[in-house]
């Protein structure tokens, strides 16, 4: 078993001064914590892996391909591999768990 606490992951991410902290990597998936503060720009480019976002906290919009929706705590969004996507109009600091399958390269 591997168990994690979000507050500890957030502290580690902040200490490393990065927006993304990968904290689990297995044969078929990887998981990380992604953070964008209110008003910040999301620099993401399409990935070679399928992704699932689970919004832990915050409020924003996300565009995936030509579709846009609002997200907040509890939202889950699937992004197919190779599809452009970005969070935008981030009105509250955003913390998102990201699952990549297969693992992020």
């Amino acid at each position: 078993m591997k168990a994690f606490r979000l507050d500890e992951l957030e502290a580690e991410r902040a200490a490393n001064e990065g927006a993304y902290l990968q904290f689990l990597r297995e044969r078929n998936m990887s998981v990380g914590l992604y953070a964008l503060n209110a008003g910040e720009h999301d620099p993401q480019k399409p990935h070679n892996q399928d992704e699932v976002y689970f919004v832990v906290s915050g409020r924003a919009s996300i565009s995936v391909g030509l579709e846009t929706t609002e997200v907040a705590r509890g939202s889950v969004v699937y992004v197919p591999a190779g599809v452009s996507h970005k969070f935008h109009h981030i009105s509250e600091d955003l913390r998102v768990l990201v699952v990549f399958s297969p693992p992020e390269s």
Side-chain angles (χ1 to χ4, degrees):
M1 171 194 278
K2 296 178 183 176
F4 305 91
R5 290 179 44 104
L6 283 173
D7 57 342
E8 292 171 354
L9 295 171
E10 175 61 14
E12 183 179 347
R13 185 207 58 78
N16 290 322
E17 298 181 2
Y20 184 71
L21 171 71
Q22 182 182 92
F23 61 88
L24 179 66
R25 184 178 182 87
E26 297 294 334
R27 185 171 56 90
N28 294 315
M29 68 173 202
S30 60
V31 184
L33 178 63
Y34 189 44
L36 293 166
N37 292 325
E40 200 169 354
H41 169 74
D42 183 1
Q44 290 193 83
K45 295 189 176 5
H47 301 95
N48 295 324
Q49 305 84 1
D50 288 340
E51 295 177 78
V52 173
Y53 289 117
F54 174 74
V55 179
V56 175
S57 62
R59 186 172 299 279
S61 294
I62 186 171
S63 293
V64 178
L66 299 175
E67 297 180 272
T68 298
T69 191
E70 292 184 13
V71 294
R73 183 173 58 105
S75 296
V76 178
V77 177
Y78 167 68
V79 180
V83 175
S84 64
H85 58 286
K86 290 198 184 297
F87 289 100
H88 53 93
H89 297 96
I90 302 167
S91 59
E92 296 175 16
D93 292 353
L94 196 60
R95 299 299 180 266
V96 181
L97 286 178
V98 185
V99 179
F100 286 100
S101 181
E104 184 183 28
S105 317

